[in-house]
Amino acid sequence: MQVGNAVTDNYYDNLGTVSYWWSHSIISDRTYKSILKSCNFSSEKSSQKCDDAVNYAMNHEFGNIDQYSIYAPACKASTANNTVKLLRLKNSLIHRKISGYDPCTENYAEKYYNRPDV
């Protein structure tokens, strides 16, 4: 058995991902334009300029968010600073709305799927 997301169309998947980052204010206008200019989303191989632009976005603009659930807190196991930040949300209205969401789910799944008996 294999588990994962199917790739339907690299061009639209990659362009859509970058557009999502930009339209949800995860990356700046400047970085968005840099990625669009530097990346050929139709190509199987990315250029160094494209890699640099995407790495800049992910390492300097994303912050500590889960790009798949941007309105939920990040996994508390990430860093000590984020744990403190998340604890401040503990009694807020935001926390009550998302209290059923576990931001560390991906970590549990990865550990489970990598077990020898699975």
Side-chain angles (χ1 to χ4, degrees):
M1 172 173 46
Q2 294 182 348
V3 177
N5 293 332
V7 174
T8 54
D9 185 305
N10 281 341
Y11 175 81
Y12 289 109
D13 287 347
N14 292 326
L15 179 60
T17 297
V18 173
S19 296
Y20 172 83
W21 294 346
W22 175 72
S23 67
H24 286 78
S25 300
I26 297 171
I27 62 173
S28 66
D29 292 347
R30 181 178 176 190
T31 299
Y32 176 66
K33 289 174 187 174
S34 175
I35 292 171
L36 292 181
K37 182 180 175 184
S38 304
C39 298
N40 177 357
F41 297 120
S42 298
S43 176
E44 290 289 321
K45 186 171 176 135
S46 66
S47 68
Q48 186 61 49
K49 281 186 174 186
C50 177
D51 290 345
D52 291 345
V54 171
N55 286 335
Y56 181 83
M58 297 183 87
N59 294 319
H60 297 282
E61 294 189 346
F62 264 52
N64 189 29
I65 63 165
D66 177 351
Q67 68 174 313
Y68 301 106
S69 184
I70 63 173
Y71 302 112
C75 179
K76 290 181 184 180
S78 297
T79 68
N81 288 342
N82 291 326
T83 301
V84 172
K85 189 189 314 184
L86 294 177
L87 289 175
R88 275 190 244 132
L89 292 174
K90 189 173 184 179
N91 294 320
S92 71
L93 181 61
I94 294 170
H95 182 269
R96 280 181 261 150
K97 285 184 179 177
I98 59 174
S99 62
Y101 173 75
D102 184 349
C104 298
T105 299
E106 185 176 329
N107 296 355
Y108 310 140
E110 185 175 341
K111 286 178 187 175
Y112 173 77
Y113 289 123
N114 285 304
R115 287 184 4 201
D117 59 321
V118 174

